[in-house]
Amino acid sequence: MVKGAVRLFIEKGFHRTTTREIAKESGFSIGTLYEYIRSKEDILYLVCDAIYEEVRDRLAYHLDTNNEGIDRLKKAVAAYFQVIHDMQDEVLVMYQEAKSLPKEALSYVLQKEVEMTEMIEKVIRDCAKEGVINVDDDARVKLVAHNILVQGHMWTFRRWQIQKHFSLEEYTTLQVEQLLQGVDHRPI
Amino acid sequence: MVKGAVRLFIEKGFHRTTTREIAKESGFSIGTLYEYIRSKEDILYLVCDAIYEEVRDRLAYHLDTNNEGIDRLKKAVAAYFQVIHDMQDEVLVMYQEAKSLPKEALSYVLQKEVEMTEMIEKVIRDCAKEGVINVDDDARVKLVAHNILVQGHMWTFRRWQIQKHFSLEEYTTLQVEQLLQGVDHRPI
Amino acid sequence: MVKGAVRLFIEKGFHRTTTREIAKESGFSIGTLYEYIRSKEDILYLVCDAIYEEVRDRLAYHLDTNNEGIDRLKKAVAAYFQVIHDMQDEVLVMYQEAKSLPKEALSYVLQKEVEMTEMIEKVIRDCAKEGVINVDDDARVKLVAHNILVQGHMWTFRRWQIQKHFSLEEYTTLQVEQLLQGVDHRPI
Amino acid sequence: MVKGAVRLFIEKGFHRTTTREIAKESGFSIGTLYEYIRSKEDILYLVCDAIYEEVRDRLAYHLDTNNEGIDRLKKAVAAYFQVIHDMQDEVLVMYQEAKSLPKEALSYVLQKEVEMTEMIEKVIRDCAKEGVINVDDDARVKLVAHNILVQGHMWTFRRWQIQKHFSLEEYTTLQVEQLLQGVDHRPI
DNA sequence: AATGAATGAGAGTTCATTCAT
DNA sequence: AATGAATGAACTCTCATTCAT
């Protein structure tokens, strides 16, 4: 059911998709659909949840491989970007439709985003512990983690611009460079 | 009318806002509303257009002040973040609802985003010309411009997280540092 | 104003034409339009009235020419068919839209149709008086008059069929023959 | 549903009848109504189609009875007039509202009218074959068929005049006489 | 467990009409 | 006399949801 709904939400957005269409696409009747859900919003919740679950699982899988030194961070970013790239449409749907979730469900889904941030934060902290990078405070760790996450999302929601100019490899390389070295500038 | 619509879109989103509510909020009747627009989507277009216009004008105003050296970039980023901060709700609405625009209107609005990117690119190039930063290629300029823009947006669309941890000043300072120096790391 | 309204009614029918369009087509503002009428139906009334007036005047003009004998009838039918032919669109509009008139106005307009019938009846009676035809009773006169009138109207409202098969001349000749001789048949 | 719609269209015409009224008159909700149709025009189409179907079926039923000689034609006309008489309101609705059909549906409905004409033409030709009448050419057959059809319709759309003066029997008798013998006149 | 016909509140939109200017 | 901005009732149509089967 979720698969069908995602397909439709990608195509026409949540509001423009009818429950009838979702039932049909999922291969059962509207009556049966309502055996599994209580309202249309439930579907959106299930969809968002499923997408997060998949992104997180895939990312966790990639982070598992034991890298060392600065590579740990580089590979993590690359892996994350790759996951986002593979699930572009799904990520985009979530980005655009999550706001339509009822309050409680939204909190729940945002919690998943927090978890994602923590996964990235952990990579950064692990690098710091190893001594390959030097991040003096928690705030900076958080900020860098958020930046990485959002730079992943950007790849989808600004694709009409960014993917015109960069391949995923170029984008990854440049963003990692930027992340580590910043803009080359005269000392102030 | 646009003001009223923005208020409502902020509160409940485009789809959940009725034309009648917009008319009422704007202080005229539904009939009069339809003297000015041809369809509900027209309102969304007017709203998005107005928001972009205001963001761009305010930013242009701030970029006018003649700064020199690396300050040119720093102040530009700060000014941009400030504008976004002042117009948080509006920017968020545009981010979340622009996708509901009819194709043609969407293209038109995205063109405005391209213009914004070019404004930021210009600041970067001006710094490079002055010699205070060293950006070797166009791709990097573009990427940095996009990053700055999106870091502005994230201040609104991740505010439930970010504004919990940072004040606007902290956020600005940290992001500028990050932008210029990257993460402090052992040379590879 | 009537001219403009007729044009529009021909094109799209009474209900599908808006008062705004009528005002525009007539070259004045909606406000001014309502100086002359009290409701949209008034326009329909004026239109129907004007059309009848014109049909009647034209017909009267043709009937004036002094014909004698059976020619009196033949020429009258021919003249009437010609008038209908010249005013096809107008006649059709009246046929199709008169039903939308308010009751009283409808009666008034139907009275004009009665007058038309009487004009034709008079021609028949004049022929009878002259002795060129022999119509024994009033009922038959009435019936023949109605038949002639409707055969005129048919030329417009069945034109998609009839005008494919006949020119106006053919149609007139055949109908007159039919009228006078009926179908050639074995005596019963 | 069609029955209900016909009743309402008879009473107030197509444009003045609302979909809600039709639904109510038909005994179901507006939602259910729209399960069966896609637009209000669909109802008009169904109505026109149903009326034609019924007129044709009834007529076909009456034409079946094997008559011979001139009676074949006489009885056919009488049967046709009787059918029209029995379905006066319905026929009138179709006459007045068919023009509001979308183009394609209109063509389809007019095709039915062509079929009706052909049914009458066939009766005439059968009589001619039998030798009881003598119609020299196709054009005349067509014309007579059209005349008969329209004289049927007249019975409804001029009833405010004709039914004041004639009973159906008188009307039928007189029209048949007229049809066969024409107006009694001195040879020219 | 599964269906899908039925519901009706509510959406966007139109347009005859008014009336202050 | 002439205007046209403003009105809002009324229209057609949609769709999330229910419930008898």
Side-chain angles (χ1 to χ4, degrees):
Chain A
M1 189 195 84
V2 169
K3 287 276 169 202
V6 169
R7 252 194 312 274
L8 290 166
F9 291 173
I10 286 169
E11 197 188 317
K12 15 174 37 196
F14 173 66
H15 281 103
R16 284 171 163 57
T17 303
T18 69
T19 50
R20 269 167 151 98
E21 286 171 327
I22 295 169
K24 194 171 195 184
E25 183 86 6
S26 311
F28 35 68
S29 71
I30 185 69
T32 306
L33 180 68
Y34 270 84
E35 291 293 321
Y36 296 99
I37 57 164
R38 255 157 319 140
S39 78
K40 194 185 172 190
E41 281 166 344
D42 284 359
I43 304 174
L44 184 56
Y45 168 70
L46 291 175
V47 161
C48 289
D49 197 44
I51 293 172
Y52 254 120
E53 216 72 345
E54 188 171 350
V55 170
R56 204 197 46 205
D57 289 354
R58 288 205 198 189
L59 182 57
Y61 173 81
H62 285 297
L63 295 189
D64 238 23
T65 46
N66 279 331
N67 291 296
E68 295 204 347
I70 200 68
D71 253 18
R72 185 197 296 273
L73 184 56
K74 285 182 173 180
K75 292 277 170 63
V77 171
Y80 169 62
F81 283 7
Q82 183 68 51
V83 169
I84 296 286
H85 179 78
D86 293 342
M87 297 180 64
Q88 275 188 66
D89 291 330
E90 286 83 355
V91 170
L92 199 51
V93 160
M94 234 199 35
Y95 235 79
Q96 295 185 330
E97 309 295 358
K99 67 167 199 302
S100 298
L101 286 169
K103 247 189 150 147
E104 208 177 352
L106 181 58
S107 302
Y108 182 85
V109 167
L110 291 185
Q111 185 47 39
K112 304 239 157 169
E113 182 70 23
V114 173
E115 279 171 39
M116 290 282 303
T117 316
E118 284 166 357
M119 285 171 76
I120 300 293
E121 283 181 33
K122 183 168 183 307
V123 173
I124 298 169
R125 277 207 198 80
D126 286 349
C127 279
K129 262 186 230 152
E130 254 190 295
V132 290
I133 65 172
N134 177 26
V135 279
D136 37 355
D137 60 62
D138 263 18
R140 193 172 294 267
V141 171
K142 240 181 211 335
L143 188 78
V144 170
H146 277 290
N147 280 351
I148 291 171
L149 276 170
V150 171
Q151 280 165 13
H153 298 158
M154 251 173 95
W155 180 250
T156 76
F157 65 67
R158 286 178 91 82
R159 58 182 169 188
W160 50 281
Q161 272 290 304
I162 294 187
Q163 300 194 16
K164 234 166 52 188
H165 294 297
F166 308 98
S167 71
L168 180 61
E169 286 72 34
E170 289 162 6
Y171 183 71
T172 308
T173 310
L174 281 169
Q175 286 292 29
V176 168
E177 259 181 45
Q178 207 56 45
L179 174 72
L180 293 175
Q181 277 132 43
V183 171
D184 180 14
H185 67 289
R186 256 195 292 169
I188 313 155
Chain B
M1 189 196 84
V2 169
K3 289 275 168 205
V6 169
R7 254 193 311 275
L8 289 166
F9 292 173
I10 286 168
E11 195 188 319
K12 8 167 51 189
F14 173 67
H15 281 104
R16 288 188 184 350
T17 303
T18 69
T19 51
R20 275 180 168 77
E21 286 170 328
I22 296 170
K24 195 170 195 184
E25 183 83 8
S26 311
F28 33 67
S29 70
I30 184 67
T32 305
L33 180 67
Y34 272 87
E35 290 291 320
Y36 296 102
I37 58 163
R38 255 157 319 141
S39 78
K40 195 185 173 191
E41 280 169 344
D42 281 2
I43 305 174
L44 184 56
Y45 168 71
L46 291 174
V47 162
C48 289
D49 197 44
I51 294 173
Y52 254 119
E53 214 76 344
E54 188 170 351
V55 171
R56 203 198 46 204
D57 289 355
R58 289 208 200 187
L59 181 57
Y61 173 81
H62 284 297
L63 294 189
D64 238 24
T65 48
N66 280 331
N67 292 297
E68 295 206 345
I70 200 70
D71 253 18
R72 185 199 296 272
L73 185 56
K74 285 182 174 181
K75 291 277 170 63
V77 171
Y80 170 62
F81 284 7
Q82 184 67 51
V83 169
I84 296 286
H85 178 78
D86 293 343
M87 297 179 64
Q88 274 187 65
D89 291 331
E90 286 84 355
V91 170
L92 198 51
V93 159
M94 233 199 36
Y95 235 80
Q96 296 185 330
E97 309 294 358
K99 66 165 200 306
S100 298
L101 286 169
K103 246 187 152 152
E104 208 176 352
L106 182 57
S107 301
Y108 181 85
V109 168
L110 290 185
Q111 183 50 38
K112 303 239 157 167
E113 181 70 23
V114 171
E115 279 171 40
M116 291 281 303
T117 316
E118 285 165 356
M119 285 171 76
I120 300 293
E121 283 180 32
K122 183 169 182 307
V123 173
I124 297 170
R125 277 206 200 83
D126 286 350
C127 280
K129 260 187 232 150
E130 256 190 293
V132 291
I133 66 171
N134 178 27
V135 279
D136 36 356
D137 60 62
D138 263 19
R140 194 171 294 267
V141 171
K142 234 174 219 338
L143 189 78
V144 170
H146 277 289
N147 281 350
I148 291 171
L149 277 170
V150 171
Q151 280 165 14
H153 298 157
M154 80 193 247
W155 179 249
T156 76
F157 65 68
R158 288 178 90 83
R159 58 182 171 189
W160 50 279
Q161 273 290 303
I162 294 188
Q163 300 194 17
K164 235 166 51 189
H165 295 296
F166 307 97
S167 72
L168 179 62
E169 287 71 35
E170 287 162 9
Y171 182 72
T172 308
T173 312
L174 280 170
Q175 286 291 30
V176 168
E177 259 179 46
Q178 208 55 46
L179 174 73
L180 293 176
Q181 276 133 41
V183 171
D184 180 13
H185 67 289
R186 255 195 292 168
I188 311 160
Chain C
M1 189 196 83
V2 169
K3 288 275 168 203
V6 170
R7 253 193 312 275
L8 289 166
F9 291 173
I10 286 169
E11 197 188 320
K12 12 171 46 193
F14 174 66
H15 282 104
R16 284 170 161 60
T17 303
T18 68
T19 50
R20 270 167 151 99
E21 286 171 326
I22 295 169
K24 195 170 194 184
E25 184 84 6
S26 312
F28 36 68
S29 71
I30 184 70
T32 306
L33 181 66
Y34 270 84
E35 291 293 320
Y36 296 100
I37 57 163
R38 256 157 320 139
S39 77
K40 194 187 174 191
E41 282 165 343
D42 283 1
I43 305 173
L44 184 56
Y45 168 70
L46 291 174
V47 161
C48 289
D49 197 43
I51 293 173
Y52 254 120
E53 217 70 349
E54 188 171 350
V55 170
R56 205 197 44 203
D57 289 355
R58 289 207 200 188
L59 182 57
Y61 173 80
H62 285 297
L63 295 189
D64 238 23
T65 46
N66 279 331
N67 291 297
E68 295 203 348
I70 201 68
D71 253 18
R72 185 198 296 271
L73 184 57
K74 285 183 174 180
K75 292 275 169 66
V77 172
Y80 169 62
F81 284 7
Q82 184 67 51
V83 169
I84 297 287
H85 178 78
D86 292 343
M87 298 180 65
Q88 274 188 65
D89 292 330
E90 286 84 355
V91 170
L92 199 50
V93 159
M94 233 199 35
Y95 236 80
Q96 295 184 332
E97 309 294 358
K99 67 167 198 303
S100 298
L101 286 170
K103 251 193 146 143
E104 208 178 352
L106 181 58
S107 303
Y108 181 85
V109 168
L110 290 185
Q111 184 49 40
K112 304 238 159 170
E113 183 69 23
V114 172
E115 281 171 39
M116 290 281 302
T117 316
E118 285 164 356
M119 285 171 77
I120 300 292
E121 283 180 34
K122 183 169 184 305
V123 173
I124 298 169
R125 275 204 202 82
D126 286 349
C127 279
K129 260 185 235 154
E130 253 190 296
V132 290
I133 65 171
N134 176 27
V135 279
D136 37 354
D137 61 61
D138 262 19
R140 195 172 292 267
V141 172
K142 237 180 217 334
L143 189 78
V144 170
H146 276 291
N147 279 351
I148 291 171
L149 276 170
V150 171
Q151 280 166 13
H153 298 158
M154 236 171 109
W155 179 250
T156 75
F157 65 67
R158 286 178 92 82
R159 59 181 170 191
W160 50 279
Q161 273 290 304
I162 293 188
Q163 301 194 15
K164 236 167 50 188
H165 295 297
F166 307 97
S167 70
L168 180 61
E169 286 73 33
E170 288 162 8
Y171 183 72
T172 307
T173 311
L174 281 170
Q175 287 290 29
V176 168
E177 258 180 47
Q178 207 56 46
L179 174 72
L180 293 176
Q181 277 133 41
V183 171
D184 180 14
H185 67 290
R186 254 194 291 170
I188 312 156
Chain D
M1 188 197 84
V2 169
K3 289 274 167 205
V6 169
R7 255 193 310 275
L8 290 165
F9 291 173
I10 286 169
E11 195 189 320
K12 12 172 41 195
F14 174 67
H15 280 105
R16 288 191 185 344
T17 303
T18 69
T19 50
R20 270 183 166 75
E21 286 170 328
I22 296 169
K24 196 169 194 185
E25 183 83 7
S26 311
F28 34 66
S29 71
I30 182 69
T32 304
L33 180 67
Y34 272 87
E35 290 291 321
Y36 296 102
I37 57 162
R38 255 157 319 143
S39 78
K40 195 186 173 189
E41 281 168 343
D42 283 1
I43 305 174
L44 184 56
Y45 168 71
L46 290 174
V47 162
C48 289
D49 198 43
I51 294 172
Y52 255 119
E53 214 77 343
E54 189 171 348
V55 171
R56 204 198 44 204
D57 289 355
R58 289 207 199 187
L59 181 57
Y61 172 80
H62 285 296
L63 294 189
D64 238 23
T65 47
N66 279 331
N67 292 296
E68 294 204 350
I70 201 70
D71 254 17
R72 186 199 296 272
L73 184 56
K74 286 181 172 180
K75 292 275 170 64
V77 171
Y80 169 62
F81 284 7
Q82 184 67 51
V83 169
I84 296 285
H85 178 78
D86 293 341
M87 297 180 64
Q88 275 188 65
D89 292 330
E90 287 83 355
V91 170
L92 198 51
V93 160
M94 233 200 36
Y95 235 79
Q96 295 185 330
E97 309 294 357
K99 67 166 200 303
S100 298
L101 285 169
K103 247 187 153 154
E104 208 176 352
L106 182 57
S107 303
Y108 181 85
V109 168
L110 290 185
Q111 184 49 40
K112 304 237 158 169
E113 182 70 22
V114 172
E115 279 171 40
M116 290 281 303
T117 316
E118 284 164 356
M119 285 171 76
I120 300 294
E121 284 180 33
K122 183 167 181 308
V123 173
I124 298 170
R125 276 206 199 83
D126 286 349
C127 281
K129 260 187 232 150
E130 254 189 293
V132 290
I133 66 171
N134 177 28
V135 279
D136 37 354
D137 60 64
D138 264 17
R140 194 171 294 266
V141 172
K142 239 181 215 336
L143 188 78
V144 171
H146 277 290
N147 280 351
I148 292 171
L149 277 170
V150 171
Q151 281 166 11
H153 298 158
M154 254 172 92
W155 181 250
T156 76
F157 66 69
R158 287 178 92 81
R159 58 182 171 190
W160 50 279
Q161 274 289 304
I162 293 188
Q163 300 194 15
K164 235 166 51 189
H165 295 297
F166 307 97
S167 70
L168 179 61
E169 286 71 35
E170 288 162 8
Y171 183 72
T172 307
T173 311
L174 280 170
Q175 287 290 29
V176 167
E177 258 180 47
Q178 207 55 45
L179 173 71
L180 292 177
Q181 277 132 42
V183 171
D184 180 13
H185 67 289
R186 254 194 295 168
I188 314 158

